Amino acid sequence: KQEVTQIPAALSVPEGENLVLNCSFTDSAIYNLQWFRQDPGKGLTSLLLIQSSQREQTSGRLNASLDKSSGRSTLYIAASQPGDSATYLCVIQGAQKLVFGQGTRLTINP
Amino acid sequence: NAGVTQTPKFRVLKTGQSMTLLCAQDMNHEYMYWYRQDPGMGLRLIHYSVGEGTTAKGEVPDGYNVSRLKKQNFLLGLESAAPSQTSVYFCASSLPPAGQGFRKPQHFGDGTRLSIL
């Protein structure tokens, strides 16, 4: 059974810092790995999707990596801004369904 | 450009009451999903549908029923609400996972916050 773990559960950093969010998963047989953002009271917004055959994806200040052999992914956020404050979810796509991590709640302090 | 729309956004029920949550998508997606999100547990799949007229059970289907009479709509029903069903419910839609679907993320609605007293 696929399990997805995100560490830390919460993170607070000053504005402007670079930061890394971590995700680990137990089964390397995945179709893709996705990072979503969730703002309070809102749904999930897709940030990056890394296909099984890929190693990383970049979008603006965000970079996500995937290492299937070790069961790890990282989300790197450069030059953090207060608007980046949200919960970030790591999600694994299996054959029929998604498996969600519990998220990292990120706070960027001005 | 509505995407995935959920109604209602908030609801308070008494134990034993019934209700239906509505999800509508305008992206012509084949697959639709209902999840619940609880503190410390992440999102868990309740039921899903791979096309009009078909439904299947997810991880936590007990106490819920679903219907997909039209491709664009996916209904989640609670026949006799229980306090344990207090949660935030999310609907999502996607292309079929195989092929192009694995290259595209699911699209989520903004959620329905349901409290059962």
Side-chain angles (χ1 to χ4, degrees):
Chain A
K1 178 184 175 184
Q2 180 72 270
E3 294 181 1
V4 181
T5 303
Q6 292 187 246
I7 296 174
L11 180 65
S12 180
V13 301
E15 179 179 2
E17 283 200 1
N18 303 325
L19 59 98
V20 174
L21 306 182
N22 296 295
C23 171
S24 61
F25 50 95
T26 55
D27 186 351
S28 62
I30 69 173
Y31 288 93
N32 64 49
L33 183 145
Q34 304 176 44
W35 284 93
F36 284 86
R37 168 184 175 138
Q38 185 175 23
D39 293 287
K42 293 292 186 180
L44 281 66
T45 300
S46 177
L47 297 173
L48 291 165
L49 183 153
I50 310 176
Q51 295 177 51
S52 178
S53 58
Q54 297 175 325
R55 298 280 294 187
E56 67 175 349
Q57 282 287 333
T58 298
S59 176
R61 295 182 293 107
L62 306 180
N63 175 274
S65 68
L66 172 63
D67 184 343
K68 286 199 308 178
S69 61
S70 66
R72 295 176 188 273
S73 174
T74 61
L75 178 66
Y76 175 82
I77 302 177
S80 59
Q81 303 171 358
D84 294 330
S85 297
T87 296
Y88 290 80
L89 298 173
C90 173
V91 184
I92 296 290
Q93 171 76 62
Q96 287 290 343
K97 66 172 187 176
L98 300 180
V99 179
F100 293 79
Q102 294 184 21
T104 294
R105 189 172 66 255
L106 177 65
T107 303
I108 307 299
N109 302 304
Chain B
N1 229 19
V4 178
T5 303
Q6 293 182 232
T7 54
K9 296 189 183 306
F10 304 94
R11 187 72 183 269
V12 179
L13 291 178
K14 294 182 180 179
T15 298
Q17 287 185 317
S18 63
M19 80 161 296
T20 300
L21 308 185
L22 172 64
C23 176
Q25 54 97 3
D26 61 1
M27 295 168 285
N28 203 34
H29 284 163
E30 289 291 335
Y31 278 48
M32 295 187 74
Y33 313 80
W34 276 108
Y35 297 92
R36 60 179 288 173
Q37 185 176 37
D38 302 293
M41 303 199 69
L43 275 79
R44 292 179 293 169
L45 182 65
I46 304 171
H47 286 280
Y48 65 100
S49 168
V50 303
E52 182 178 318
T54 70
T55 62
K57 293 180 180 180
E59 297 174 76
V60 289
D62 294 342
Y64 305 96
N65 56 74
V66 288
S67 64
R68 184 98 180 268
L69 299 180
K70 294 183 178 180
K71 186 177 183 178
Q72 63 268 34
N73 296 335
F74 195 27
L75 306 180
L76 178 70
L78 286 72
E79 290 187 347
S80 180
S84 61
Q85 295 177 304
T86 293
S87 188
V88 182
Y89 292 85
F90 286 100
C91 176
S93 71
S94 74
L95 295 169
Q100 286 296 319
F102 286 136
R103 298 176 175 84
K104 302 290 185 182
Q106 291 188 0
H107 293 257
F108 286 80
D110 283 345
T112 294
R113 280 144 192 84
L114 185 60
S115 292
I116 316 296
L117 304 179

PDB file of all heavy atoms in Angstrom, chain A residues 10 22 32 57 67 73 92 96 108:
ATOM      1  N   ALA A  10       4.980  21.612   9.499  1.00  0.00           N
ATOM      2  CA  ALA A  10       4.830  23.072   9.437  1.00  0.00           C
ATOM      3  C   ALA A  10       6.201  23.703   9.377  1.00  0.00           C
ATOM      4  O   ALA A  10       7.170  23.170   9.928  1.00  0.00           O
ATOM      5  CB  ALA A  10       4.043  23.590  10.637  1.00  0.00           C
ATOM      6  N   ASN A  22       9.977  18.487   1.806  1.00  0.00           N
ATOM      7  CA  ASN A  22      10.317  17.097   1.529  1.00  0.00           C
ATOM      8  C   ASN A  22       9.104  16.180   1.470  1.00  0.00           C
ATOM      9  O   ASN A  22       8.126  16.373   2.211  1.00  0.00           O
ATOM     10  CB  ASN A  22      11.267  16.564   2.605  1.00  0.00           C
ATOM     11  CG  ASN A  22      12.586  17.288   2.599  1.00  0.00           C
ATOM     12  OD1 ASN A  22      13.339  17.211   1.636  1.00  0.00           O
ATOM     13  ND2 ASN A  22      12.871  18.011   3.660  1.00  0.00           N
ATOM     14  N   ASN A  32       3.013   9.303 -11.782  1.00  0.00           N
ATOM     15  CA  ASN A  32       3.576  10.640 -11.667  1.00  0.00           C
ATOM     16  C   ASN A  32       3.541  11.085 -10.222  1.00  0.00           C
ATOM     17  O   ASN A  32       2.935  10.418  -9.363  1.00  0.00           O
ATOM     18  CB  ASN A  32       2.841  11.652 -12.572  1.00  0.00           C
ATOM     19  CG  ASN A  32       1.381  11.857 -12.198  1.00  0.00           C
ATOM     20  OD1 ASN A  32       1.045  12.071 -11.037  1.00  0.00           O
ATOM     21  ND2 ASN A  32       0.504  11.852 -13.192  1.00  0.00           N
ATOM     22  N   GLN A  57      10.968  19.124 -12.548  1.00  0.00           N
ATOM     23  CA  GLN A  57      10.162  20.090 -13.285  1.00  0.00           C
ATOM     24  C   GLN A  57      10.343  21.448 -12.615  1.00  0.00           C
ATOM     25  O   GLN A  57      10.506  21.537 -11.396  1.00  0.00           O
ATOM     26  CB  GLN A  57       8.677  19.712 -13.266  1.00  0.00           C
ATOM     27  CG  GLN A  57       8.272  18.611 -14.223  1.00  0.00           C
ATOM     28  CD  GLN A  57       8.269  19.078 -15.661  1.00  0.00           C
ATOM     29  OE1 GLN A  57       8.076  20.249 -15.958  1.00  0.00           O
ATOM     30  NE2 GLN A  57       8.510  18.141 -16.565  1.00  0.00           N
ATOM     31  N   ASP A  67      13.115  11.286  -7.209  1.00  0.00           N
ATOM     32  CA  ASP A  67      14.045  10.166  -7.198  1.00  0.00           C
ATOM     33  C   ASP A  67      13.242   8.927  -6.824  1.00  0.00           C
ATOM     34  O   ASP A  67      13.004   8.661  -5.641  1.00  0.00           O
ATOM     35  CB  ASP A  67      15.169  10.418  -6.193  1.00  0.00           C
ATOM     36  CG  ASP A  67      16.217   9.309  -6.216  1.00  0.00           C
ATOM     37  OD1 ASP A  67      15.926   8.230  -6.747  1.00  0.00           O
ATOM     38  OD2 ASP A  67      17.318   9.526  -5.701  1.00  0.00           O
ATOM     39  N   SER A  73      10.920  13.038  -3.058  1.00  0.00           N
ATOM     40  CA  SER A  73      10.741  14.211  -3.892  1.00  0.00           C
ATOM     41  C   SER A  73      10.967  15.444  -3.028  1.00  0.00           C
ATOM     42  O   SER A  73      10.706  15.422  -1.811  1.00  0.00           O
ATOM     43  CB  SER A  73       9.333  14.253  -4.484  1.00  0.00           C
ATOM     44  OG  SER A  73       9.108  15.457  -5.195  1.00  0.00           O
ATOM     45  N   ILE A  92       0.879  11.275  -5.043  1.00  0.00           N
ATOM     46  CA  ILE A  92       1.346  10.224  -5.947  1.00  0.00           C
ATOM     47  C   ILE A  92       0.172   9.728  -6.787  1.00  0.00           C
ATOM     48  O   ILE A  92      -0.918   9.445  -6.253  1.00  0.00           O
ATOM     49  CB  ILE A  92       1.915   9.042  -5.150  1.00  0.00           C
ATOM     50  CG1 ILE A  92       3.147   9.478  -4.357  1.00  0.00           C
ATOM     51  CG2 ILE A  92       2.247   7.871  -6.066  1.00  0.00           C
ATOM     52  CD1 ILE A  92       4.352   9.790  -5.200  1.00  0.00           C
ATOM     53  N   GLN A  96      -5.087   3.789 -10.437  1.00  0.00           N
ATOM     54  CA  GLN A  96      -6.484   4.220 -10.440  1.00  0.00           C
ATOM     55  C   GLN A  96      -6.743   5.448  -9.586  1.00  0.00           C
ATOM     56  O   GLN A  96      -7.788   6.071  -9.721  1.00  0.00           O
ATOM     57  CB  GLN A  96      -7.391   3.079  -9.930  1.00  0.00           C
ATOM     58  CG  GLN A  96      -7.569   1.935 -10.902  1.00  0.00           C
ATOM     59  CD  GLN A  96      -8.393   2.332 -12.109  1.00  0.00           C
ATOM     60  OE1 GLN A  96      -9.093   3.337 -12.109  1.00  0.00           O
ATOM     61  NE2 GLN A  96      -8.284   1.542 -13.157  1.00  0.00           N
ATOM     62  N   ILE A 108       5.357  32.340   5.429  1.00  0.00           N
ATOM     63  CA  ILE A 108       6.451  33.243   5.074  1.00  0.00           C
ATOM     64  C   ILE A 108       6.208  34.560   5.815  1.00  0.00           C
ATOM     65  O   ILE A 108       5.197  35.234   5.584  1.00  0.00           O
ATOM     66  CB  ILE A 108       6.522  33.487   3.565  1.00  0.00           C
ATOM     67  CG1 ILE A 108       6.566  32.159   2.808  1.00  0.00           C
ATOM     68  CG2 ILE A 108       7.738  34.356   3.232  1.00  0.00           C
ATOM     69  CD1 ILE A 108       7.750  31.289   3.122  1.00  0.00           C
TER      70      ILE A 108
END
